[in-house]
Amino acid sequence: MPEGHTVHRHARAHRTTFGGRTLAVDSPQGRFAAGAALLDGQVMSATQAWGKHLFLGFAPGPRYRPRHWLHVHLGLYGTWRFGAGAPPEPRGAVRVRLISDDAWAELRGPTACDVVTPDEKDAITARLGPDPLREDADPSRAAAVVARSRTGIGALLMRQDVVAGIGNVYRAESLFRAGIDPYRPGRDLSGAEWDALWDDLVVLLSDGVRRGSIVTTRPEDRERPRGAVRRVDAHYVYRRTGLPCRVCATPVLAEPLAGRTLYRCAVCQR
DNA sequence: TCTGCATGAAAAA
DNA sequence: TTTTCCTGCAGAG
């Protein structure tokens, strides 16, 4: 489920599993053979996530600054699988395998998977907006774009050069929680509304990293307020087309917007 | 077991 | 705005 929270979890998983280790890198599928050859036998000396982009740094030794970064964007289908011990025989389209002496990871179906230089990595992150999960995030950069834009806030939130790491779930859910109509132009949001929206994104994404899944409902708005959150109780509007809004019971709306499905409550979001 | 949809985004048109 | 990449899952049967 690759929105920003998932990618940050992957960065952490790579760090704990492979950080400082010498890795064998290959590409059973063959599509990444040249890149894998560059990294094979190197040490993973750094890991980083920015929005939906994952960067794994490779160097001659653990204390070296990375000379090559493996840059991965999962897109809609991409997945990482981790395991302990010896790696299984690769089945199907495995783009990359990372193998240490006691663990392995497999990457399938990514939108992007390439080896980049430090400069190229900087160029990629320079094109991205602030990531609510990063300490160094500067929300005023996003605020400035939003405040100037006639585009609806629902479309702006999906733009990775405005806010990095937000996908269709966090877009729908954060705007519901804020009570904001996704079609409202960015420049019609007050400063306080933007600040609250950003702060809520930080809360929601951080919670997503902790849980490993996206849960946006407040306990009192769930059918079962206590205990583990069931899948059907996790969201306010996302994938709840036609079901009654948890707050006002009006049927949830779904309509395509720029190729994606926008979910909203027309009554709660103004 | 089968079917269709999905958390993304670049490229084509 | 449409197509493509090509995986995992939920729901139907």
Side-chain angles (χ1 to χ4, degrees):
Chain A
M1 300 92 197
E3 293 197 28
H5 68 301
T6 308
V7 180
H8 280 259
R9 282 175 70 92
H10 290 154
R12 189 170 69 187
H14 281 287
R15 184 159 59 247
T16 56
T17 308
F18 298 127
R21 306 293 202 89
T22 301
L23 301 183
V25 181
D26 69 357
S27 177
Q29 175 195 38
R31 257 181 81 172
F32 185 64
L38 277 173
L39 306 178
D40 186 41
Q42 305 267 311
V43 171
M44 189 185 291
S45 66
T47 66
Q48 219 183 89
W50 190 312
K52 298 167 189 170
H53 296 255
L54 174 69
F55 298 95
L56 306 174
F58 288 80
R63 301 193 171 279
Y64 287 68
R65 186 168 296 166
R67 295 173 185 184
H68 298 289
W69 291 87
L70 176 59
H71 167 231
V72 174
H73 191 298
L74 293 176
L76 192 52
Y77 309 122
T79 53
W80 281 104
R81 256 180 80 207
F82 290 84
E89 271 310 296
R91 283 220 307 270
V94 178
R95 187 76 59 89
V96 181
R97 285 195 307 174
L98 307 176
I99 303 165
S100 72
D101 49 9
D102 63 0
W104 54 271
E106 249 184 22
L107 172 67
R108 330 172 75 97
T111 288
C113 173
D114 30 49
V115 176
V116 298
T117 65
D119 283 348
E120 289 167 335
K121 169 176 167 290
D122 291 344
I124 292 168
T125 56
R127 287 196 296 270
L128 296 171
D131 174 349
L133 287 172
R134 288 179 63 93
E135 296 280 336
D136 59 4
D138 176 9
S140 69
R141 244 184 84 188
V145 177
V146 170
R148 261 187 273 113
S149 179
R150 272 173 294 207
T151 305
I153 185 64
L156 290 173
L157 280 183
M158 294 291 276
R159 272 177 44 187
Q160 301 300 301
D161 61 335
V162 178
V163 183
I166 306 305
N168 208 20
V169 184
Y170 283 122
R171 178 262 291 268
E173 295 294 300
S174 63
L175 289 176
F176 178 89
R177 285 165 58 101
I180 296 174
D181 183 334
Y183 295 106
R184 190 180 337 155
R187 64 182 187 183
D188 291 349
L189 265 71
S190 71
E193 280 178 318
W194 166 259
D195 290 343
L197 186 56
W198 173 270
D199 290 346
D200 200 38
L201 287 171
V202 173
V203 168
L204 290 177
L205 281 150
S206 303
D207 182 71
V209 173
R210 270 190 301 274
R211 290 179 188 266
S213 67
I214 302 176
V215 173
T216 57
T217 46
R218 301 174 183 90
E220 63 269 27
D221 294 327
R222 296 175 195 146
E223 284 176 45
R224 286 193 197 165
R226 295 167 182 285
V229 182
R230 294 177 305 164
R231 188 175 293 270
V232 293
D233 248 357
H235 310 133
Y236 281 104
V237 289
Y238 176 73
R239 288 261 247 170
R240 299 192 73 244
T241 313
L243 294 173
C245 170
R246 293 181 189 281
V247 174
C248 75
T250 305
V252 172
L253 299 177
E255 59 236 358
L257 176 72
R260 314 299 301 285
T261 307
L262 171 72
Y263 302 90
R264 67 190 174 99
C265 172
V267 173
C268 291
Q269 298 176 251
R270 296 297 188 178

